[in-house]
Amino acid sequence: MNFQEIKRLDEKYYAETFSRFPVAFVGGKGATLVDTEGKEYVDFGAGIAVNIFGVNDEEWKQAVITQLNGVQHLSNLYYCESQAKLAELLCKKTGAKRVFFGNSGAEANECAMKAARKYSYDKYGEGRYKIIALNNSFHGRTLFTLSATGQDIFHQYYMPFVAGVECVDANMKSVTDAAADGTACAVMIECVQGESGVTVLDAEFLQMLGKFCSERDILLIVDEVQTGYGRTGKMFSYEHFGISPDIVTVAKGIAGGLPLGACLFYKKTERVFSAGDHGSTFGGNPVCCAAGVNVIERLTDEFMLEVQGKAEYLRAKLRIIDGVNAVTGLGMMIGLDIDKNVKEVAAACLKKGLLVLTAHKRLRLLPPLTITKTEMDEGLTILREVLNA
């Protein structure tokens, strides 16, 4: 099918939930995508931090094909080798004690908040249920995760939200005030707030928050859906700040392009769930978990050093581009503060062969972690041309 045929079908039958760019991709390699007309594009978005090895990665594909040659789905009523293996690798890599698999970041965050409430109920009884989240956060599009998303733009139409969730500013006074009534069971944070502008939280605040939560047995939940899996140059972004979460959520890059999410339980919360407390039909799908095993086995210390080096190179080049006022974020999770309209810039970049993302008034760059220097340079050239036009 050519692009116009695809576009006509989509506009006739798909729910009008997305404002799409005028392009459809059919192939590519690494951080280079190819559209229906054969045009090539440098990918600085990675499917919103999902395709961490880019597209058409041979080793990743083989892991998926091998599992497809076995069984493509198993109910969670039965044991699954790839699921068990991925759970083991995740725990050994991160220090977590147990894992629950869902299908997305929203599901992982939903699971985390349910787990926090159950932990508190089991230990303290009723009345200790409040989830404290931060303004400018984004945790998903279910009603519970939207309730914990501190951005009014996502709150239209869907009232009333889940009760017992409060969003506050990212400072200790606001958190302390929210917890003062004794009803708080958890604080949920992103160390880098991606959707609201790729903003890194203050290190001192995070360290004080970790101590505050630990002293009061308030669980600290860290949402690593966008920041995890090497995106910031470490396995998880919280490692940059010296804090110890009780629950961590991951998705996006975890399976390199297939739908998978995970909720990681550390020592305090490892036995919070019993049989029947939570579940998922597709969560921990064998094919997705086989992809996840391939991904995590390749996230070695050497690989992380390569990511850090690429991030330093890319950031240094971005800082000297005319029209870039500031470079925010951590590692290969990059925000660009520019004077021009970011939507218009993203559209202009697309026309020239570069995919970039936006986050409020900033450009957002989330390239594949395997992007080459040549691909980075090609993308930087296009971005420079657009910003200086």
Side-chain angles (χ1 to χ4, degrees):
M1 297 173 69
N2 63 36
F3 172 67
Q4 291 303 326
E5 290 170 332
I6 296 170
K7 184 171 182 285
R8 277 196 296 270
L9 280 180
D10 183 274
E11 291 179 346
K12 183 174 182 180
Y13 294 109
Y14 199 90
E16 297 176 317
T17 51
F18 300 108
S19 178
R20 301 192 196 273
F21 287 99
V23 65
F25 297 107
V26 295
K29 189 73 176 176
T32 301
L33 292 171
V34 179
D35 71 9
T36 48
E37 318 310 313
K39 180 180 176 180
E40 293 188 347
Y41 300 75
V42 178
D43 183 12
F44 275 11
I48 314 182
V50 171
N51 300 328
I52 62 173
F53 297 152
V55 297
N56 212 3
D57 179 86
E58 292 299 331
E59 188 178 336
W60 180 89
K61 279 196 304 181
Q62 191 54 54
V64 171
I65 291 167
T66 299
Q67 182 60 51
L68 282 171
N69 285 333
V71 57
Q72 81 275 19
H73 174 72
L74 288 169
S75 160
N76 279 311
L77 296 173
Y78 312 105
Y79 292 99
C80 170
E81 181 181 355
S82 61
Q83 186 185 100
K85 183 65 174 176
L86 180 56
E88 177 197 28
L89 288 169
L90 261 171
C91 287
K92 287 186 173 180
K93 183 85 170 175
T94 66
K97 299 298 183 183
R98 293 183 184 270
V99 180
F100 177 85
F101 291 118
N103 306 284
S104 67
E107 286 187 29
N109 286 332
E110 187 98 5
C111 175
M113 291 189 285
K114 285 179 67 177
R117 284 187 170 177
K118 185 170 188 296
Y119 170 87
S120 195
Y121 184 91
D122 288 346
K123 192 168 182 179
Y124 299 101
E126 295 182 1
R128 203 172 183 270
Y129 52 81
K130 185 190 291 184
I131 308 291
I132 300 171
L134 301 181
N135 288 328
N136 298 314
S137 62
F138 182 87
H139 297 295
R141 292 182 182 272
T142 66
L143 278 178
F144 202 177
T145 55
L146 270 181
S147 303
T149 290
Q151 299 185 62
D152 290 341
I153 191 172
F154 294 110
H155 292 171
Q156 301 177 66
Y157 316 121
Y158 305 116
M159 301 292 188
F161 288 110
V162 177
V165 182
E166 184 176 353
C167 294
V168 303
D169 289 339
N171 62 66
M172 283 312 302
K173 183 181 185 307
S174 297
V175 173
T176 301
D177 289 348
D181 61 4
T183 64
C185 68
V187 177
M188 189 173 194
I189 63 168
E190 305 156 282
C191 294
V192 185
Q193 296 180 321
E195 298 295 328
S196 60
V198 198
T199 303
V200 183
L201 295 187
D202 179 72
E204 184 179 2
F205 162 68
L206 289 173
Q207 290 160 10
M208 291 174 66
L209 178 64
K211 186 172 184 289
F212 176 88
C213 289
S214 178
E215 290 173 348
R216 291 159 179 78
D217 198 21
I218 296 172
L219 298 184
L220 179 60
I221 303 170
V222 180
D223 177 343
E224 295 277 0
V225 169
Q226 190 170 151
T227 53
Y229 265 70
R231 177 56 53 187
T232 67
K234 293 182 180 291
M235 183 65 182
F236 294 134
S237 66
Y238 74 79
E239 297 175 58
H240 292 275
F241 303 98
I243 58 175
S244 299
D246 301 299
I247 300 175
V248 169
T249 59
V250 294
K252 292 193 181 293
I254 187 174
L258 294 181
L260 186 66
C263 190
L264 280 60
F265 301 106
Y266 290 72
K267 185 174 178 59
K268 188 182 285 189
T269 57
E270 65 173 307
R271 298 192 179 278
V272 67
F273 283 143
S274 300
D277 286 339
H278 197 52
S280 172
T281 297
F282 289 105
N285 169 271
V287 180
C288 297
C289 285
V293 169
N294 176 262
V295 169
I296 197 168
E297 286 183 335
R298 294 164 67 182
L299 297 183
T300 62
D301 291 342
E302 292 76 16
F303 183 85
M304 293 298 182
L305 286 173
E306 290 179 9
V307 173
Q308 292 167 20
K310 290 174 183 178
E312 289 176 8
Y313 177 84
L314 191 54
R315 288 171 173 277
K317 293 288 187 178
L318 288 166
R319 289 190 188 99
I320 60 175
I321 293 179
D322 289 341
V324 174
N325 301 322
V327 180
T328 67
L330 281 175
M332 296 283 268
M333 184 175 181
I334 299 171
L336 299 181
D337 185 32
I338 62 175
D339 293 326
K340 293 188 175 183
N341 181 289
V342 292
K343 301 287 187 185
E344 293 175 0
V345 168
C349 284
L350 180 74
K351 287 182 180 180
K352 287 181 172 289
L354 173 66
L355 307 183
V356 298
L357 304 167
T358 63
H360 285 232
K361 294 182 179 181
R362 285 180 178 157
L363 288 182
R364 179 171 40 157
L365 310 182
L366 303 165
L369 303 184
T370 52
I371 191 170
T372 65
K373 183 175 180 291
T374 298
E375 289 168 325
M376 285 191 282
D377 287 342
E378 290 174 359
L380 287 164
T381 296
I382 294 172
L383 182 60
R384 186 180 299 106
E385 290 174 356
V386 170
L387 291 179
N388 293 337

